Amino acid sequence: MLSTRSHGVSGTATVIDDCTIEVEGFNYDGGGVDVRFYGGLGGNYVNGFPMTDDLVGTRFTNDQLTITIPDGRSLDDIDGLSVWCFDFSVSFGDGLFAP
């Protein structure tokens, strides 16, 4: 489950296979500056990596997204997701995967 910290972010992320994550019921108001899904370890997204293009300007309401882990990365590099504002190093919503 993604926590709601800002901009109405919410949803549930599920690992589908070794390179795919699905986010269901995704909500986000489209605000912010350079906002992307970021992967990271232990809730550390400052040292994480982008997994989508910029989401700013697009409103999501109960949407389903499929995210592909970028080339050169694997599930070993990620145990959580954040809707991350890169310019301000702030999470609009995040969550760790359950074991």
Side-chain angles (χ1 to χ4, degrees):
M1 300 289 290
L2 297 174
S3 63
T4 303
R5 299 182 187 278
S6 191
H7 292 281
V9 168
S10 64
T12 302
T14 304
V15 175
I16 301 301
D17 59 34
D18 62 348
C19 62
T20 310
I21 297 169
E22 186 172 270
V23 182
E24 294 179 312
F26 180 57
N27 296 292
Y28 164 58
D29 70 5
V33 179
D34 195 5
V35 177
R36 302 163 190 264
F37 269 99
Y38 258 60
L41 290 171
N44 181 346
Y45 302 105
V46 170
N47 294 320
F49 56 93
M51 298 178 62
T52 63
D53 291 333
D54 194 355
L55 303 173
V56 170
T58 304
R59 178 178 295 274
F60 295 87
T61 304
N62 203 32
D63 285 317
Q64 181 173 326
L65 301 175
T66 301
I67 300 170
T68 302
I69 296 174
D71 290 341
R73 299 290 185 160
S74 73
L75 286 176
D76 292 336
D77 300 317
I78 180 174
D79 67 0
L81 282 181
S82 173
V83 178
W84 184 254
C85 180
F86 178 77
D87 287 1
F88 293 98
S89 296
V90 66
S91 179
F92 291 168
D94 55 75
L96 298 176
F97 294 110

Coordinates of all heavy atoms in Angstrom, one line a residue:
M1 N 0.8 -1.2 0.0 CA 0.0 0.0 0.0 C 0.9 1.2 0.0 O 1.8 1.3 0.8 CB -0.9 0.0 1.2 CG -1.8 -1.2 1.4 SD -3.2 -1.2 0.2 CE -4.1 0.2 0.8
L2 N 0.5 2.2 -0.8 CA 1.2 3.5 -0.8 C 0.6 4.4 0.2 O -0.6 4.6 0.2 CB 1.1 4.1 -2.2 CG 1.8 3.4 -3.4 CD1 1.5 4.1 -4.7 CD2 3.3 3.3 -3.2
S3 N 1.5 4.9 1.0 CA 1.0 5.9 2.0 C 0.6 7.2 1.3 O 1.0 7.4 0.1 CB 2.1 6.3 3.0 OG 3.2 6.9 2.2
T4 N -0.3 8.0 1.9 CA -0.7 9.3 1.3 C 0.0 10.4 2.1 O -0.3 10.6 3.2 CB -2.2 9.4 1.4 OG1 -2.8 8.3 0.7 CG2 -2.6 10.7 0.7
R5 N 1.0 11.0 1.4 CA 1.7 12.1 2.1 C 1.4 13.4 1.5 O 1.4 14.5 2.1 CB 3.2 11.9 1.9 CG 3.7 10.6 2.6 CD 5.2 10.4 2.5 NE 5.7 9.1 3.0 CZ 5.9 8.8 4.2 NH1 5.6 9.7 5.2 NH2 6.3 7.6 4.6
S6 N 1.1 13.5 0.2 CA 0.8 14.7 -0.5 C 0.2 14.4 -1.9 O 0.3 13.3 -2.4 CB 2.1 15.5 -0.7 OG 1.9 16.8 -1.2
H7 N -0.5 15.4 -2.4 CA -1.1 15.4 -3.8 C -2.0 14.2 -4.0 O -2.1 13.7 -5.1 CB 0.0 15.4 -4.8 CG 0.7 16.7 -4.9 ND1 0.2 17.8 -5.5 CD2 1.9 17.1 -4.4 CE1 1.0 18.8 -5.4 NE2 2.1 18.4 -4.7
G8 N -2.6 13.7 -2.9 CA -3.6 12.6 -3.0 C -3.1 11.3 -3.5 O -3.9 10.5 -3.9
V9 N -1.8 11.0 -3.3 CA -1.3 9.7 -3.7 C -1.8 8.6 -2.9 O -1.9 8.7 -1.7 CB 0.3 9.8 -3.7 CG1 0.8 8.4 -3.8 CG2 0.8 10.7 -4.7
S10 N -2.2 7.5 -3.6 CA -2.6 6.3 -2.9 C -2.6 5.2 -4.0 O -2.6 5.5 -5.2 CB -4.0 6.4 -2.3 OG -5.0 6.6 -3.2
G11 N -2.7 4.0 -3.5 CA -2.7 2.8 -4.4 C -2.0 1.6 -3.8 O -1.5 1.7 -2.7
T12 N -2.1 0.5 -4.5 CA -1.5 -0.7 -4.1 C -0.5 -1.3 -5.1 O -0.9 -1.4 -6.3 CB -2.6 -1.8 -3.8 OG1 -3.5 -1.3 -2.8 CG2 -2.0 -3.1 -3.3
A13 N 0.7 -1.5 -4.8 CA 1.7 -2.0 -5.7 C 2.0 -3.5 -5.4 O 2.1 -3.9 -4.3 CB 3.0 -1.2 -5.5
T14 N 2.1 -4.2 -6.5 CA 2.3 -5.7 -6.4 C 3.4 -6.1 -7.4 O 3.4 -5.6 -8.6 CB 1.0 -6.4 -6.8 OG1 -0.1 -6.0 -6.0 CG2 1.2 -7.9 -6.7
V15 N 4.3 -6.9 -7.0 CA 5.4 -7.4 -7.8 C 4.7 -8.6 -8.7 O 4.2 -9.5 -8.1 CB 6.6 -8.0 -7.0 CG1 7.6 -8.6 -8.0 CG2 7.2 -6.8 -6.3
I16 N 4.8 -8.4 -10.0 CA 4.1 -9.4 -10.9 C 5.2 -10.5 -11.3 O 4.9 -11.6 -11.3 CB 3.6 -8.7 -12.1 CG1 2.5 -7.6 -11.7 CG2 3.0 -9.7 -13.1 CD1 1.3 -8.2 -11.0
D17 N 6.4 -10.0 -11.6 CA 7.4 -10.9 -12.0 C 8.8 -10.2 -11.7 O 8.8 -9.1 -11.1 CB 7.3 -11.5 -13.4 CG 7.3 -10.4 -14.5 OD1 8.0 -9.4 -14.3 OD2 6.6 -10.6 -15.5
D18 N 9.9 -10.8 -12.2 CA 11.2 -10.3 -11.8 C 11.5 -8.9 -12.5 O 12.5 -8.3 -12.2 CB 12.3 -11.3 -12.2 CG 12.4 -11.6 -13.7 OD1 11.4 -11.3 -14.4 OD2 13.3 -12.3 -14.0
C19 N 10.6 -8.4 -13.3 CA 10.9 -7.1 -13.9 C 9.6 -6.2 -14.0 O 9.7 -5.1 -14.6 CB 11.5 -7.2 -15.3 SG 10.5 -8.1 -16.5
T20 N 8.5 -6.6 -13.4 CA 7.2 -5.9 -13.6 C 6.6 -5.7 -12.2 O 6.4 -6.6 -11.4 CB 6.3 -6.7 -14.5 OG1 7.0 -7.0 -15.7 CG2 5.1 -5.8 -14.8
I21 N 6.1 -4.4 -12.0 CA 5.3 -4.1 -10.9 C 4.0 -3.4 -11.4 O 4.0 -2.6 -12.3 CB 6.1 -3.1 -10.0 CG1 7.4 -3.7 -9.5 CG2 5.2 -2.6 -8.8 CD1 8.3 -2.7 -8.8
E22 N 2.9 -3.9 -10.8 CA 1.6 -3.3 -11.1 C 1.1 -2.5 -10.0 O 1.2 -2.9 -8.8 CB 0.7 -4.5 -11.4 CG -0.7 -4.0 -11.9 CD -1.5 -5.1 -12.4 OE1 -1.4 -5.5 -13.6 OE2 -2.3 -5.7 -11.6
V23 N 0.6 -1.3 -10.3 CA 0.0 -0.4 -9.3 C -1.5 -0.3 -9.6 O -1.8 0.1 -10.7 CB 0.7 1.0 -9.3 CG1 0.1 1.8 -8.2 CG2 2.2 0.9 -9.0
E24 N -2.3 -0.7 -8.7 CA -3.7 -0.7 -8.8 C -4.4 0.4 -8.0 O -3.8 0.7 -6.9 CB -4.4 -2.0 -8.5 CG -3.9 -3.1 -9.4 CD -4.5 -4.5 -9.0 OE1 -4.5 -4.8 -7.9 OE2 -5.1 -5.1 -9.9
G25 N -5.5 0.9 -8.4 CA -6.2 2.0 -7.6 C -5.3 3.2 -7.4 O -5.4 3.8 -6.4
F26 N -4.5 3.5 -8.4 CA -3.5 4.6 -8.2 C -4.2 6.0 -8.4 O -5.0 6.2 -9.3 CB -2.4 4.5 -9.3 CG -1.4 5.6 -9.2 CD1 -0.7 5.9 -8.0 CD2 -1.1 6.5 -10.3 CE1 0.2 6.9 -7.9 CE2 -0.2 7.5 -10.2 CZ 0.5 7.7 -9.0
N27 N -4.0 6.8 -7.4 CA -4.5 8.2 -7.4 C -3.4 9.2 -7.2 O -2.5 9.0 -6.4 CB -5.5 8.4 -6.2 CG -6.7 7.5 -6.4 OD1 -7.5 7.7 -7.3 ND2 -6.9 6.5 -5.6
Y28 N -3.4 10.3 -8.0 CA -2.4 11.4 -7.9 C -3.0 12.5 -8.6 O -3.5 12.4 -9.7 CB -1.1 10.9 -8.5 CG -0.1 11.9 -8.8 CD1 0.4 12.8 -7.8 CD2 0.4 12.1 -10.1 CE1 1.3 13.8 -8.1 CE2 1.3 13.0 -10.4 CZ 1.8 13.9 -9.4 OH 2.7 14.8 -9.7
D29 N -2.9 13.7 -8.0 CA -3.5 14.9 -8.6 C -2.7 15.6 -9.7 O -3.2 16.5 -10.3 CB -3.9 15.9 -7.5 CG -2.7 16.6 -6.9 OD1 -1.5 16.4 -7.3 OD2 -2.9 17.4 -5.9
G30 N -1.5 15.1 -10.0 CA -0.7 15.6 -11.1 C 0.2 16.8 -10.8 O 0.8 17.4 -11.6
G31 N 0.2 17.2 -9.5 CA 1.0 18.4 -9.1 C 2.4 18.0 -8.8 O 2.8 16.9 -8.7
G32 N 3.2 19.1 -8.6 CA 4.6 18.9 -8.2 C 5.6 19.3 -9.4 O 5.1 19.8 -10.4
V33 N 6.8 18.9 -9.2 CA 7.9 19.2 -10.2 C 8.7 17.9 -10.3 O 9.3 17.4 -9.4 CB 8.8 20.3 -9.7 CG1 9.9 20.6 -10.7 CG2 8.0 21.6 -9.4
D34 N 8.8 17.4 -11.6 CA 9.6 16.2 -11.9 C 9.3 15.1 -10.9 O 10.1 14.7 -10.1 CB 11.1 16.5 -11.9 CG 11.9 15.4 -12.6 OD1 11.3 14.4 -13.1 OD2 13.1 15.5 -12.6
V35 N 8.1 14.6 -11.0 CA 7.6 13.5 -10.1 C 7.5 12.2 -10.9 O 6.9 12.1 -12.0 CB 6.2 13.9 -9.6 CG1 5.6 12.7 -8.7 CG2 6.2 15.2 -8.8
R36 N 8.1 11.2 -10.4 CA 8.2 9.9 -11.0 C 8.0 8.8 -10.0 O 8.3 9.0 -8.8 CB 9.6 9.7 -11.7 CG 9.9 10.7 -12.7 CD 11.3 10.8 -13.1 NE 11.7 11.9 -13.9 CZ 11.7 11.9 -15.2 NH1 11.5 10.8 -15.8 NH2 12.0 13.0 -15.9
F37 N 7.7 7.6 -10.4 CA 7.8 6.4 -9.5 C 9.3 6.1 -9.4 O 10.1 6.1 -10.4 CB 7.1 5.2 -10.1 CG 5.7 5.1 -9.6 CD1 4.7 5.5 -10.5 CD2 5.4 4.6 -8.4 CE1 3.4 5.4 -10.1 CE2 4.1 4.5 -8.0 CZ 3.1 4.9 -8.8
Y38 N 9.8 6.0 -8.1 CA 11.2 5.7 -7.8 C 11.2 4.4 -7.1 O 10.3 4.1 -6.3 CB 11.8 6.8 -6.9 CG 12.7 7.8 -7.7 CD1 12.2 8.5 -8.7 CD2 14.0 7.9 -7.3 CE1 13.0 9.4 -9.4 CE2 14.9 8.8 -7.9 CZ 14.4 9.5 -9.0 OH 15.2 10.4 -9.6
G39 N 12.2 3.6 -7.4 CA 12.5 2.4 -6.6 C 13.6 2.7 -5.6 O 14.5 3.5 -5.9
G40 N 13.6 1.9 -4.5 CA 14.7 2.1 -3.6 C 14.7 1.0 -2.5 O 13.9 0.1 -2.6
L41 N 15.7 1.0 -1.7 CA 15.9 0.0 -0.6 C 15.7 0.7 0.7 O 16.2 1.8 1.0 CB 17.2 -0.6 -0.7 CG 17.5 -1.5 -1.9 CD1 19.0 -1.9 -1.9 CD2 16.6 -2.8 -1.8
G42 N 14.9 0.0 1.6 CA 14.7 0.5 3.0 C 14.1 1.8 3.1 O 14.3 2.5 4.1
G43 N 13.3 2.2 2.1 CA 12.6 3.5 2.2 C 13.6 4.7 1.8 O 13.2 5.9 2.0
N44 N 14.8 4.4 1.3 CA 15.7 5.4 0.9 C 15.5 5.7 -0.6 O 16.0 4.9 -1.4 CB 17.1 5.0 1.2 CG 18.2 6.0 0.8 OD1 17.9 7.0 0.1 ND2 19.4 5.9 1.3
Y45 N 14.8 6.7 -0.9 CA 14.6 7.1 -2.4 C 15.6 8.1 -2.9 O 15.7 8.3 -4.1 CB 13.1 7.4 -2.6 CG 12.2 6.3 -2.1 CD1 11.5 6.4 -0.9 CD2 12.2 5.1 -2.9 CE1 10.8 5.3 -0.5 CE2 11.4 4.0 -2.5 CZ 10.7 4.1 -1.3 OH 10.0 3.1 -0.9
V46 N 16.2 8.8 -1.9 CA 17.3 9.8 -2.3 C 18.3 9.1 -3.2 O 18.8 9.6 -4.2 CB 17.9 10.5 -1.1 CG1 19.1 11.3 -1.5 CG2 16.9 11.4 -0.4
N47 N 18.7 7.8 -2.7 CA 19.6 7.0 -3.5 C 19.0 6.0 -4.4 O 19.6 5.1 -4.9 CB 20.6 6.3 -2.5 CG 21.4 7.2 -1.7 OD1 21.9 8.2 -2.3 ND2 21.6 7.0 -0.4
G48 N 17.7 6.2 -4.6 CA 16.9 5.3 -5.5 C 17.1 5.7 -7.0 O 18.0 6.4 -7.3
F49 N 16.2 5.2 -7.8 CA 16.3 5.3 -9.2 C 14.9 5.5 -9.8 O 13.9 4.9 -9.3 CB 17.0 4.2 -9.9 CG 16.4 2.8 -9.6 CD1 15.5 2.3 -10.4 CD2 16.8 2.1 -8.4 CE1 15.0 1.0 -10.1 CE2 16.3 0.9 -8.1 CZ 15.4 0.3 -9.0
P50 N 14.8 6.3 -10.9 CA 13.5 6.5 -11.5 C 13.0 5.3 -12.3 O 13.9 4.6 -12.9 CB 13.7 7.7 -12.5 CG 15.2 7.6 -12.8 CD 15.8 7.1 -11.5
M51 N 11.7 5.0 -12.3 CA 11.2 3.8 -13.0 C 10.1 4.2 -14.0 O 9.6 3.4 -14.7 CB 10.6 2.9 -11.9 CG 11.7 2.4 -11.0 SD 11.0 1.3 -9.7 CE 10.4 -0.1 -10.7
T52 N 9.7 5.5 -14.0 CA 8.8 6.0 -15.0 C 9.2 7.3 -15.5 O 10.1 8.0 -15.0 CB 7.3 6.2 -14.4 OG1 7.4 7.2 -13.4 CG2 6.8 4.9 -13.8
D53 N 8.5 7.8 -16.6 CA 8.6 9.2 -17.0 C 8.0 10.1 -16.0 O 7.3 9.6 -15.1 CB 8.0 9.3 -18.4 CG 8.7 8.6 -19.5 OD1 10.0 8.4 -19.4 OD2 8.1 8.2 -20.5
D54 N 8.1 11.4 -16.2 CA 7.5 12.4 -15.4 C 6.0 12.3 -15.4 O 5.4 12.2 -16.4 CB 8.0 13.8 -15.8 CG 7.7 14.9 -14.9 OD1 7.1 14.6 -13.8 OD2 8.1 16.0 -15.2
L55 N 5.4 12.2 -14.2 CA 4.0 12.1 -14.0 C 3.3 13.4 -13.9 O 2.0 13.5 -13.9 CB 3.7 11.3 -12.8 CG 4.3 9.9 -12.7 CD1 4.0 9.3 -11.3 CD2 3.7 9.0 -13.8
V56 N 4.0 14.5 -13.7 CA 3.4 15.9 -13.5 C 2.5 16.2 -14.7 O 2.8 16.0 -15.8 CB 4.5 16.9 -13.3 CG1 3.9 18.3 -13.3 CG2 5.3 16.7 -12.0
G57 N 1.4 16.8 -14.3 CA 0.4 17.3 -15.3 C -0.6 16.2 -15.7 O -1.6 16.6 -16.4
T58 N -0.5 15.0 -15.2 CA -1.5 14.0 -15.5 C -2.2 13.6 -14.2 O -1.5 13.2 -13.2 CB -0.8 12.7 -16.1 OG1 -0.1 13.1 -17.3 CG2 -1.8 11.7 -16.5
R59 N -3.5 13.7 -14.2 CA -4.3 13.3 -13.0 C -4.6 11.8 -13.2 O -5.0 11.4 -14.2 CB -5.5 14.1 -12.9 CG -6.4 13.7 -11.8 CD -7.7 14.6 -11.7 NE -7.3 16.0 -11.4 CZ -7.2 16.5 -10.2 NH1 -7.3 15.7 -9.1 NH2 -6.9 17.7 -10.0
F60 N -4.4 11.1 -12.1 CA -4.8 9.7 -12.1 C -5.9 9.5 -11.0 O -5.7 9.9 -9.9 CB -3.5 8.8 -11.7 CG -2.4 8.9 -12.7 CD1 -1.4 9.9 -12.6 CD2 -2.3 7.9 -13.7 CE1 -0.4 9.9 -13.5 CE2 -1.3 8.0 -14.6 CZ -0.3 8.9 -14.5
T61 N -6.9 8.8 -11.4 CA -8.0 8.5 -10.5 C -8.3 7.0 -10.6 O -8.9 6.5 -11.7 CB -9.2 9.3 -10.9 OG1 -8.9 10.7 -10.9 CG2 -10.4 9.1 -9.9
N62 N -8.0 6.2 -9.6 CA -8.2 4.8 -9.5 C -7.7 4.1 -10.8 O -8.4 3.2 -11.3 CB -9.7 4.5 -9.3 CG -10.0 3.2 -8.8 OD1 -9.2 2.7 -8.0 ND2 -11.1 2.6 -9.1
D63 N -6.5 4.5 -11.2 CA -5.9 3.9 -12.4 C -5.1 2.7 -12.1 O -4.6 2.5 -11.0 CB -5.1 5.0 -13.2 CG -5.9 6.0 -13.9 OD1 -6.9 5.6 -14.6 OD2 -5.6 7.2 -13.8
Q64 N -4.8 1.9 -13.2 CA -3.9 0.8 -13.1 C -2.6 1.1 -13.9 O -2.8 1.5 -15.1 CB -4.5 -0.5 -13.6 CG -3.6 -1.7 -13.5 CD -4.4 -3.0 -13.8 OE1 -5.5 -3.1 -13.5 NE2 -3.7 -3.9 -14.4
L65 N -1.5 1.0 -13.4 CA -0.2 1.3 -14.1 C 0.7 0.0 -14.0 O 0.7 -0.7 -13.0 CB 0.6 2.4 -13.4 CG -0.1 3.7 -13.3 CD1 0.8 4.7 -12.6 CD2 -0.4 4.3 -14.7
T66 N 1.4 -0.2 -15.1 CA 2.4 -1.3 -15.2 C 3.7 -0.6 -15.3 O 3.9 0.1 -16.2 CB 2.1 -2.3 -16.3 OG1 0.8 -2.8 -16.2 CG2 3.1 -3.4 -16.4
I67 N 4.6 -0.9 -14.3 CA 5.9 -0.3 -14.3 C 7.0 -1.4 -14.5 O 6.9 -2.5 -13.9 CB 6.2 0.3 -12.9 CG1 5.1 1.4 -12.7 CG2 7.6 0.9 -12.8 CD1 5.1 1.9 -11.2
T68 N 7.9 -1.2 -15.5 CA 8.9 -2.1 -15.8 C 10.2 -1.6 -15.1 O 10.6 -0.5 -15.2 CB 9.2 -2.2 -17.3 OG1 7.9 -2.6 -17.9 CG2 10.2 -3.2 -17.6
I69 N 10.8 -2.5 -14.4 CA 12.1 -2.2 -13.7 C 13.1 -1.9 -14.8 O 13.3 -2.7 -15.8 CB 12.6 -3.4 -12.8 CG1 11.6 -3.5 -11.7 CG2 14.0 -3.1 -12.3 CD1 11.8 -4.7 -10.8
P70 N 13.9 -0.8 -14.8 CA 14.8 -0.4 -15.8 C 15.9 -1.4 -16.1 O 16.3 -2.1 -15.1 CB 15.3 0.9 -15.4 CG 14.5 1.4 -14.2 CD 13.8 0.2 -13.7
D71 N 16.4 -1.4 -17.3 CA 17.6 -2.2 -17.6 C 18.7 -1.9 -16.7 O 18.9 -0.7 -16.3 CB 18.0 -1.9 -19.1 CG 17.1 -2.5 -20.1 OD1 16.2 -3.4 -19.7 OD2 17.1 -2.0 -21.3
G72 N 19.5 -2.9 -16.3 CA 20.6 -2.7 -15.4 C 20.2 -2.7 -13.9 O 21.0 -2.6 -13.0
R73 N 18.9 -2.8 -13.6 CA 18.4 -3.0 -12.3 C 17.6 -4.3 -12.1 O 17.2 -4.8 -13.1 CB 17.4 -1.8 -11.9 CG 18.0 -0.4 -12.0 CD 19.0 -0.2 -10.9 NE 19.5 1.1 -10.9 CZ 20.1 1.7 -9.9 NH1 20.2 1.1 -8.7 NH2 20.5 2.9 -10.0
S74 N 17.4 -4.7 -10.9 CA 16.7 -5.9 -10.6 C 15.9 -5.8 -9.3 O 16.0 -4.8 -8.6 CB 17.6 -7.1 -10.6 OG 18.3 -7.1 -9.3
L75 N 15.1 -6.8 -9.0 CA 14.4 -6.8 -7.7 C 15.3 -6.7 -6.5 O 14.9 -6.3 -5.5 CB 13.5 -8.0 -7.6 CG 12.2 -8.0 -8.5 CD1 11.5 -9.3 -8.4 CD2 11.3 -6.8 -8.1
D76 N 16.6 -7.1 -6.7 CA 17.6 -6.9 -5.6 C 17.8 -5.5 -5.3 O 18.3 -5.2 -4.2 CB 18.9 -7.6 -6.0 CG 18.8 -9.1 -6.1 OD1 17.9 -9.7 -5.5 OD2 19.6 -9.7 -6.9
D77 N 17.5 -4.6 -6.2 CA 17.7 -3.1 -6.0 C 16.5 -2.4 -5.5 O 16.5 -1.2 -5.3 CB 18.1 -2.5 -7.4 CG 19.3 -3.1 -8.0 OD1 20.3 -3.3 -7.2 OD2 19.3 -3.3 -9.2
I78 N 15.4 -3.1 -5.2 CA 14.2 -2.5 -4.8 C 13.4 -3.3 -3.8 O 13.2 -4.5 -4.0 CB 13.3 -2.2 -6.1 CG1 12.0 -1.5 -5.7 CG2 13.1 -3.5 -6.9 CD1 11.2 -1.1 -6.9
D79 N 13.0 -2.6 -2.7 CA 12.1 -3.3 -1.8 C 10.9 -2.4 -1.5 O 10.1 -2.6 -0.7 CB 12.7 -3.8 -0.5 CG 13.2 -2.7 0.4 OD1 13.1 -1.5 0.0 OD2 13.8 -3.0 1.4
G80 N 10.8 -1.2 -2.2 CA 9.7 -0.3 -2.1 C 9.7 0.7 -3.2 O 10.6 0.8 -4.1
L81 N 8.5 1.4 -3.3 CA 8.3 2.4 -4.3 C 7.9 3.7 -3.7 O 7.3 3.7 -2.6 CB 7.0 1.9 -5.2 CG 7.2 0.9 -6.2 CD1 5.8 0.7 -6.9 CD2 8.2 1.3 -7.3
S82 N 8.2 4.8 -4.4 CA 7.8 6.1 -4.0 C 7.3 6.9 -5.2 O 7.8 6.7 -6.3 CB 8.9 6.8 -3.3 OG 8.6 8.2 -3.1
V83 N 6.3 7.7 -5.0 CA 5.9 8.7 -6.0 C 6.8 9.9 -5.5 O 6.4 10.6 -4.6 CB 4.4 9.0 -6.0 CG1 4.1 10.1 -7.0 CG2 3.6 7.8 -6.3
W84 N 7.9 10.1 -6.2 CA 9.0 10.9 -5.7 C 9.2 12.2 -6.5 O 9.2 12.2 -7.7 CB 10.3 10.1 -5.8 CG 11.6 10.7 -5.3 CD1 12.6 11.2 -6.0 CD2 11.9 10.9 -3.9 NE1 13.6 11.7 -5.2 CE2 13.2 11.5 -3.9 CE3 11.3 10.5 -2.7 CZ2 13.8 11.8 -2.7 CZ3 11.9 10.8 -1.5 CH2 13.2 11.5 -1.5
C85 N 9.3 13.3 -5.8 CA 9.5 14.6 -6.4 C 11.0 14.8 -6.4 O 11.6 15.1 -5.3 CB 8.8 15.7 -5.7 SG 9.1 17.4 -6.4
F86 N 11.7 14.6 -7.5 CA 13.1 14.7 -7.6 C 13.7 16.0 -7.2 O 14.7 16.1 -6.4 CB 13.6 14.3 -9.0 CG 15.1 14.3 -9.2 CD1 15.9 13.3 -8.7 CD2 15.6 15.4 -9.9 CE1 17.2 13.4 -8.9 CE2 17.0 15.5 -10.0 CZ 17.8 14.5 -9.5
D87 N 13.2 17.1 -7.7 CA 13.7 18.4 -7.5 C 13.8 18.8 -6.0 O 14.7 19.5 -5.5 CB 13.0 19.5 -8.2 CG 13.3 19.5 -9.7 OD1 14.0 18.6 -10.2 OD2 12.7 20.3 -10.5
F88 N 12.8 18.3 -5.2 CA 12.7 18.7 -3.8 C 13.0 17.5 -2.9 O 12.9 17.6 -1.6 CB 11.4 19.3 -3.5 CG 11.2 20.6 -4.1 CD1 10.4 20.7 -5.3 CD2 11.7 21.7 -3.6 CE1 10.3 21.9 -6.0 CE2 11.5 23.0 -4.2 CZ 10.8 23.0 -5.4
S89 N 13.4 16.3 -3.4 CA 13.7 15.1 -2.6 C 12.6 14.8 -1.6 O 12.9 14.7 -0.4 CB 15.1 15.3 -1.9 OG 16.1 15.4 -2.9
V90 N 11.4 14.7 -2.1 CA 10.3 14.5 -1.2 C 9.4 13.4 -1.8 O 9.2 13.4 -3.0 CB 9.5 15.8 -0.9 CG1 8.8 16.3 -2.1 CG2 8.5 15.5 0.3
S91 N 8.9 12.6 -0.9 CA 7.9 11.5 -1.3 C 6.5 12.0 -1.2 O 6.1 12.5 -0.1 CB 8.1 10.3 -0.5 OG 7.2 9.3 -0.9
F92 N 5.7 11.9 -2.2 CA 4.3 12.2 -2.2 C 3.5 11.0 -1.7 O 2.3 11.1 -1.3 CB 3.8 12.6 -3.5 CG 4.3 14.0 -4.0 CD1 4.1 14.3 -5.3 CD2 5.0 14.8 -3.2 CE1 4.6 15.6 -5.8 CE2 5.5 16.1 -3.6 CZ 5.3 16.4 -4.9
G93 N 4.1 9.8 -1.7 CA 3.5 8.6 -1.2 C 4.4 7.5 -1.5 O 5.1 7.4 -2.5
D94 N 4.5 6.5 -0.5 CA 5.5 5.4 -0.7 C 5.1 4.2 0.1 O 4.2 4.3 1.0 CB 6.9 5.8 -0.3 CG 7.0 6.4 1.1 OD1 6.9 5.6 2.0 OD2 7.1 7.6 1.2
G95 N 5.7 3.1 -0.2 CA 5.4 1.9 0.6 C 6.5 0.8 0.3 O 7.1 0.8 -0.8
L96 N 6.7 0.0 1.3 CA 7.6 -1.1 1.2 C 6.8 -2.4 0.8 O 5.7 -2.6 1.3 CB 8.4 -1.4 2.4 CG 9.3 -0.2 2.9 CD1 10.0 -0.5 4.2 CD2 10.4 0.1 1.8
F97 N 7.4 -3.3 0.0 CA 6.8 -4.6 -0.3 C 6.9 -5.5 0.9 O 7.9 -5.6 1.6 CB 7.5 -5.2 -1.5 CG 7.3 -4.4 -2.8 CD1 8.3 -3.8 -3.4 CD2 6.0 -4.4 -3.4 CE1 8.2 -3.1 -4.5 CE2 5.9 -3.6 -4.5 CZ 6.9 -3.0 -5.1
A98 N 5.8 -6.2 1.1 CA 5.7 -7.2 2.2 C 6.5 -8.4 1.7 O 6.5 -8.7 0.6 CB 4.3 -7.6 2.5
P99 N 7.2 -9.1 2.7 CA 8.0 -10.3 2.3 C 7.1 -11.4 1.8 O 5.9 -11.5 2.1 CB 8.7 -10.7 3.6 CG 8.2 -9.8 4.7 CD 7.3 -8.8 4.1

